[in-house]
């Protein structure tokens, strides 16, 4: 295997893909400087682990583009003491970023092998402020609710009601919403019994499949 300078690759990713595109939250940038993204992909992808694109992680799923992970994290507006729910554990990379910034992270993944793999990488890297569950994340994780923030890392046809129900008043939900082959990254704020949604930008995610998402074909 080539001798790769992961620290240098990570620094360049932060400078050229995140700061250059306007990511400014220092906590987010510091987390990206710390988390070894290559640990979340298979060895055959080490050379492109810090590239400006998603990568395959098995089961037809992907680890998202670094910029999209950063943008979604920034949209959550985390200060440090939050309890966060993620839907779509995937590789576990987004979780590691969240573990660096917030207090407790809960994540739900529908594929058992992805959940187990993410758990073993996160444990190996020393993270302890998280839990992962296998199941249909469109229904949230009721036992650990309420959450200050919720992040959905797969494309949804609409806002899953269960997720809003498990959020604290004033909480934020960041979710790609739209069609199966293209969505709009949306920030939803819970205000009492209502929600306010604002659109951030176009994006493209694998589908959120579940009872309050897309139906399995
Ligand atoms: N956050 C991940 C990371 O950092 O690698 C990337 C997630 S990938 C783009 C989307 C993930 O959502 C996939 O792992 C997929 O299996 C998962 N997913 C899709 N529908 C789901 C559901 N209803 N519940 C839980 N996970 C779901």
């Amino acid at each position: 295997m080539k001798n790769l300078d992961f620290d240098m690759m990570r620094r360049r990713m932060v400078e050229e893909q995140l700061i250059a595109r306007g990511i400014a939250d220092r906590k987010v940038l510091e987390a990206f400087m710390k988390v070894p993204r290559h640990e979340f992909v298979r060895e055959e992808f080490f050379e492109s682990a810090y590239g400006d694109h998603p990568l395959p992680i098995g089961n037809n799923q992907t680890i998202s583009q670094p910029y999209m992970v950063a943008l979604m994290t920034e949209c959550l507006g985390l200060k440090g003491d939050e309890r966060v729910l993620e839907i779509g554990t995937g590789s576990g990379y987004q979780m590691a970023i969240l573990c660096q910034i917030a207090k407790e992270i809960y994540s739900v993944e529908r594929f058992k092998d992805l959940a187990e793999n993410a758990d073993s990488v996160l444990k190996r890297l020393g993270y302890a402020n998280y839990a992962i569950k296998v199941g249909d994340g469109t229904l949230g994780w009721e036992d650990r609710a309420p959450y200050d923030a919720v992040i959905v890392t797969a494309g949804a046809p609409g806002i899953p009601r269960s997720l809003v129900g498990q959020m604290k008043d004033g909480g934020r939900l960041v979710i790609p919403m739209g069609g199966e082959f293209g969505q709009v990254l949306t920030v939803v704020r819970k205000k009492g019994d209502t929600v306010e949604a604002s659109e951030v930008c176009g994006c493209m995610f694998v589908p959120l499949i579940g009872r309050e998402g897309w139906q399995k074909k």
Side-chain angles (χ1 to χ4, degrees), residues 141-193:
W141 190 339
E142 182 81 61
D143 300 356
R144 309 295 173 103
Y147 303 99
D148 300 283
V150 179
I151 176 169
V152 178
T153 66
I159 304 172
R161 277 164 167 258
S162 299
L163 299 186
V164 176
Q166 292 172 26
M167 279 160 64
K168 288 185 189 167
D169 194 15
R172 285 188 196 195
L173 163 68
V174 174
I175 182 169
M177 280 200 302
E180 241 178 301
F181 303 103
Q183 306 88 29
V184 175
L185 184 64
T186 307
V187 178
V188 178
R189 287 185 186 79
K190 180 169 174 175
K191 301 223 162 136
D193 292 335

Side-chain angles (χ1 to χ4, degrees), residues 1-6 9 38-39 41-50:
M1 197 188 66
K2 264 200 208 160
N3 220 353
L4 295 167
D5 185 346
F6 291 121
M9 290 160 76
H38 61 281
E39 298 281 358
V41 299
R42 291 198 299 267
E43 202 174 317
E44 64 190 282
F45 297 117
F46 274 8
E47 262 184 80
S48 50
Y50 294 89

